[in-house]
Amino acid sequence: SLDDIALADTAFEASGDSPSELFQAASLALIEAMVAPGTVNSAWSQIFEKTDPDLPTLLFDWLSEIVYLKDAQGLVFREVLTTVVQDPATGTWKLDATLIGEEIDLHKHELRGDVKAVTKHMYDVHEQDGRWTARVVLDV
């Protein structure tokens, strides 16, 4: 993790050989910033579908959704499955994701940082030589 960014924030870099792998790695990094995934059961799961013409915006909105679900519905996650494809005709990116987890149980779950938001601070998503990388700063 990139801890020298800002004192009130935590940051991570995630990468993959495809947009799907990038979203998977970034989602897991966010989940691990919030909870030890191994302490969470798979009592809850939901399928999500999101689209955006801009891949960095799609990732930002997706990670923000994970934080929102924690805050609004009291959920933490153990697993995520992501598939990201680009429509060749329109250029629009489409995410299909499944989140697996359960409601927060303070006696059972090993909670880590209370992530309040994904921030635009130093946010970056890029592809270089077939490798996709994202830098994400979280407000904790």
Side-chain angles (χ1 to χ4, degrees):
S1 83
L2 308 172
D3 292 324
D4 57 333
I5 303 264
L7 291 175
D9 297 335
T10 186
F12 63 82
E13 274 190 1
S15 59
D17 291 331
S18 67
S20 295
E21 285 185 16
L22 173 63
F23 275 61
Q24 183 83 17
S27 300
L28 287 172
L30 173 57
I31 288 166
E32 290 186 3
M34 298 192 295
V35 68
T39 65
V40 180
N41 287 337
S42 41
W44 179 95
S45 76
Q46 190 168 324
I47 295 169
F48 297 84
E49 191 178 290
K50 289 185 170 299
T51 59
D52 199 282
D54 182 60
L55 187 70
T57 301
L58 184 62
L59 179 61
F60 186 91
D61 290 350
W62 168 242
L63 296 175
S64 298
E65 176 96 6
I66 295 173
V67 174
Y68 172 80
L69 288 166
K70 172 190 65 80
D71 290 341
Q73 296 182 26
L75 295 165
V76 285
F77 309 102
R78 68 170 289 122
E79 208 175 330
V80 59
L81 307 164
T82 59
T83 305
V84 179
V85 292
Q86 188 174 28
D87 183 316
T90 64
T92 297
W93 293 93
K94 179 175 177 237
L95 166 68
D96 289 298
T98 304
L99 273 173
I100 299 162
E102 65 181 340
E103 289 185 14
I104 294 172
D105 178 342
L106 296 176
H107 298 99
K108 183 170 90 173
H109 299 139
E110 184 188 315
L111 297 178
R112 293 175 175 160
D114 181 19
V115 176
K116 295 178 184 66
V118 180
T119 73
K120 296 275 188 189
H121 178 66
M122 297 181 72
Y123 181 73
D124 179 58
V125 177
H126 64 273
E127 181 265 334
Q128 185 175 355
D129 302 325
R131 189 87 181 143
W132 296 81
T133 305
R135 181 178 58 229
V136 181
V137 178
L138 305 171
D139 180 13
V140 292

